[in-house]
Amino acid sequence: MLLIIDNQSAFIKKFKRQFLSEQDFDYVFFDHNQPITLSAKTQIKGIILSGGKGNPYEPLNLTSNFVALMNFDVPVLGFCLGHEIIAVSYRGRIKKLPEYHSKKEIITITNQEDPIFEGLKKSEVSLVKRHSFHVSELPSSFDSLAISDTCSNEIIRHKSKPIYGFQSHPEVSGEDGMVMVKNFLKICNIL
């Protein structure tokens, strides 16, 4: 089963309607401020932390994100705010950008060999971005896999665990974005 934490993202709702509802695997949604209540028999195979408003330091209750990160030893994929939550929870730092970004942006992949990029035949992809913050200081346990004109840590991965963060929104960025999301689900042994 896939566990999804919704941090008030319109994009994750669209992803649920347009992609998840057509899939042949189980998933469960919890709001960011809702306790994670699962049966003892539930087998979580992967976690998605959605984007959303604010940042990990503001008074938005993000407890379920941190509970999911620290209590399940499974692959994790964070979009936008989820990416920032991952970085902060592993002692990275985020910083406010000079201006709000809301557009498609070219992302340059710097480590094409990672399994998250399997099937992509190019080193540049165009992904939707909508954010005010970015990971300014990468946690020491993470590597940067991609950069953009606005972010030096556009896509990150834990050095020894399949924990990924995307500053962008591949879940609503068309074919290239969905290739990476599906690769994550394959890493989880869900697809």
Side-chain angles (χ1 to χ4, degrees), residues 30-148:
F30 285 97
D31 284 337
H32 63 94
N33 58 357
Q34 181 182 12
I36 298 172
T37 53
L38 299 167
S39 159
K41 295 180 181 180
T42 303
Q43 295 281 324
I44 298 298
K45 293 184 173 186
I47 298 169
I48 291 178
L49 307 178
S50 86
K53 300 173 183 170
N55 69 72
Y57 300 127
E58 288 184 355
L60 179 68
N61 183 351
L62 299 171
T63 305
S64 60
N65 289 270
F66 295 108
V67 168
L69 268 173
M70 298 305 156
N71 287 293
F72 295 99
D73 188 20
V74 297
V76 178
L77 178 58
F79 304 134
C80 198
L81 175 58
H83 165 78
E84 296 161 11
I85 290 167
I86 289 169
V88 167
S89 67
Y90 282 91
R91 299 189 179 151
R93 296 196 185 275
I94 63 168
K95 187 176 180 181
K96 192 168 179 81
L97 290 166
E99 61 184 37
Y100 179 75
H101 286 268
S102 181
K103 61 181 179 175
K104 268 199 160 187
E105 188 170 354
I106 299 297
I107 311 301
T108 303
I109 299 167
T110 56
N111 183 349
Q112 192 83 30
E113 302 304 311
D114 194 274
I116 202 80
F117 304 123
E118 185 179 322
L120 288 177
K121 304 282 189 238
K122 50 192 166 185
S123 62
E124 291 188 342
V125 293
S126 179
L127 300 177
V128 172
K129 295 181 71 173
R130 192 179 287 175
H131 64 108
S132 296
F133 291 83
H134 70 105
V135 176
S136 60
E137 212 174 291
L138 194 63
S140 61
S141 55
F142 278 74
D143 287 323
S144 179
L145 302 179
I147 60 173
S148 70

Side-chain angles (χ1 to χ4, degrees), residues 1-4 15 19 25 44-49 74-79 86 114-118 161-166 170 177-191:
M1 179 177 288
L2 183 65
L3 170 62
I4 302 168
F15 176 67
F19 176 74
F25 59 80
I44 298 298
K45 293 184 173 186
I47 298 169
I48 291 178
L49 307 178
V74 297
V76 178
L77 178 58
F79 304 134
I86 289 169
D114 194 274
I116 202 80
F117 304 123
E118 185 179 322
K161 300 176 185 179
I163 299 175
Y164 293 90
F166 281 70
M178 287 312 299
V179 165
M180 292 179 277
V181 171
K182 288 176 181 176
N183 284 340
F184 172 74
L185 296 173
K186 289 175 188 171
I187 291 166
C188 298
N189 292 315
I190 291 175
L191 276 186

